[in-house]
Amino acid sequence: MKAYLPNKIGVFGLTCLLALAWTQTAAAATTPETAPPPQQAQAAGCPSWQTQLSELTTGAIKNNDKVVTARHRGEFTDSIPENSLAAFAGAYQNCRPAVETDVRSTSDGNMVVFHDANVGKMLEPAYDPINDSGPNEKINNLNLLDLQSKRLVDVNTRQPTAERVPTVTQMLQDYLDKNGQSLIHLEIKEAALIMPAAKLITEMDRANPGKNLKQRIIVKFNMAEYPSPQKWQAGLSGAGAATDIMGMPVITPFAAERIKDISLPNPPDKNYVSNVERAVALWSSAPGSVAPIVEVLIKDSTDFVKTERKSGPQGLYTAPANLDYGNALTDSMADMVTIVKRYQKPLGVFVPVPDYIMWRTGVVTGFTVPNTFGDKKPMDVATAFFNNTSSCCYRLPDRLGDVGATHEREDLRMNLSWNRDIGANMITADDTDSVDTFYSRDGALDTATTPSAKSPSPRMQSTLSWQLGYVPNPAPQKISLKGWNGASSGFWGGQVCIYNNPYGNHYAWVYNCNNGSATESGYSDILTSEVVGDKIRIRDPEGKCLSDSSERDDIFWSDSCQDSWSLLSYNSKGNIINKEGKYAAFQTAKLLYKGQPYSKIYWVSNPEDYGTWTLWKMDLR
């Protein structure tokens, strides 16, 4: 079988066009923007920042156990990049009670708003998250000039947008210019930036009298850095920052391990047995003007002593029987939850939603992507999260573990019923619309901060909205499998697709895509794919499966869809692989059907001998 790349001129031309586009983009983006692009001001009628803060410190969120949300990374969409000024402006416009974003540093010490530790996913069009290939520098290896010379990309198309990475100063000034009423949660990812961020807030507050910036910004940090309000305020004073900067300490299993050897006093009214308990109690008993929220990284109910099985819209789960102090293993994250609730402090949690498919178009279910953790077997794309190195991917179960007194057996953080059972008040998530809708129907949403919930967008591709039934789950999607990884050939009549074969011995074949003559004759290139463990199963419209057997070397459509021969691997390059490790390939056309060339599909052992003839692109039909 002779292998060659079809339509070589077209591929070369495409390469030239991409190179030209990159050159033009680089030439247009050589200096940082000195001022943000104009955006529409805060929408009229949003609850004021005073209302947001009051509800946290003295109102319904604190006293009546109501729920409020913070929009993680701003109002990013399929056209607006995460953590951009446009994303933040959208959040203000949509009356989000709070916006949460991350702060990192550049090599020259500037504080910028950016989620990942590496820049490939959001700043490098040539970076491929699936194969972790292409430019992907660590953000703290780039200076501000280099960083802001790059434009934030659309993660779906990988094309640059008009947005750039904002500094914290630019983000906060834009917030003031737009009169945003959302509270801002600045999560400081690097310990060395906590006090500089507080000092910046102090200076901007002084430079903008009457704007009350200090009361609108909450600094979120690892509790191990400042394990008591007294240490926090001493740090603020020593850094020359205002001592009334608000903090949101986050206790994690690793933070608890660091805190346990730090000597801390008991709060005035209670006696605790460990320094970790004392740290959380001191923060939880602090006034709301010092710490409006304490966040706990808890994933399940393993460390509660008394539990009960419950059922909710997202299935069966184990919940704590109560949140009384003593109903948890000492120093576990469950213990920390009971302490926070003992003081009626708003409990902060993070609800993770798989973000690899978020806001993507095309095929978003029915295939697998690489897993960088555990046994590294491919995972269902609908469960996949980007790593903070920009690469793809991990699943929530991959991050479970035992650290110190905390034991993790499952990750229930997406289960909103469970979050209600642990008393969560401030929920940070990408898909706050689904969270707001759930708690609004449950009567738990704080209506002073969120008068009405918005319906989640189907375009977001949020698995949380699918689980709750707010948006129909798109699986199984109708797809086509295109040869040469989607490339075209004039000789073959353009792109070619795998067709079913309801006649004869049901062999699978490759033919010109969407061909009317083939369709009229009863053939179809409209397929579906489903994930089975770390494999996929491809079906035709009649329910037959793309399969194999030990008796034949061609690929055929089989009624036996439950045997192991129908379970195939689909790797990041686009290869389809059977259980014997052989690759699906087709060959140079020697056969014609109604004047157009076609080929059967075969299993081959050496894909390098066949080049792109073994690559299949999965496209939405």
Side-chain angles (χ1 to χ4, degrees), residues 4-6 11 14 128 130-131 480-489 494-498 510 513 570-576 584 586 610-619:
Y4 62 88
L5 178 67
V11 172
L14 176 61
D128 177 7
I130 289 288
N131 294 299
S480 58
L481 282 169
K482 297 180 177 179
W484 309 312
N485 211 17
S488 298
S489 166
Q495 293 180 316
V496 296
C497 291
I498 294 179
V510 175
C513 293
Y570 183 70
N571 67 18
S572 58
K573 296 178 181 179
N575 298 121
I576 297 174
F586 66 111
Y610 299 85
T612 59
W613 297 76
T614 65
L615 301 183
W616 306 91
K617 183 180 181 183
M618 194 179 288
D619 271 348

Side-chain angles (χ1 to χ4, degrees), residues 288-323:
S289 58
V290 174
I293 308 155
V294 172
E295 184 166 310
V296 179
L297 178 57
I298 180 171
K299 296 182 180 179
D300 65 11
S301 301
T302 299
D303 293 325
F304 287 103
V305 176
K306 296 179 180 179
T307 60
E308 56 185 343
R309 290 292 284 173
K310 286 190 171 183
S311 177
Q314 293 163 279
L316 290 169
Y317 65 98
T318 299
N322 62 70
L323 298 177

Side-chain angles (χ1 to χ4, degrees), residues 349-360:
V349 298
F350 180 71
V351 172
V353 182
D355 62 354
Y356 182 78
I357 60 172
M358 199 168 280
W359 293 109
R360 288 183 182 268

Side-chain angles (χ1 to χ4, degrees), residues 96-119:
R96 301 298 181 187
V99 174
E100 196 256 24
T101 189
D102 304 297
V103 176
R104 296 188 182 274
S105 64
T106 60
S107 63
D108 50 353
N110 285 282
M111 289 183 291
V112 293
V113 172
F114 201 78
H115 183 269
D116 295 344
N118 294 61
V119 304

Side-chain angles (χ1 to χ4, degrees), residues 9-30:
I9 297 177
V11 172
F12 176 76
L14 176 61
T15 303
C16 292
L17 288 172
L18 289 173
L20 177 60
W22 169 252
T23 303
Q24 291 172 336
T25 300
T30 56

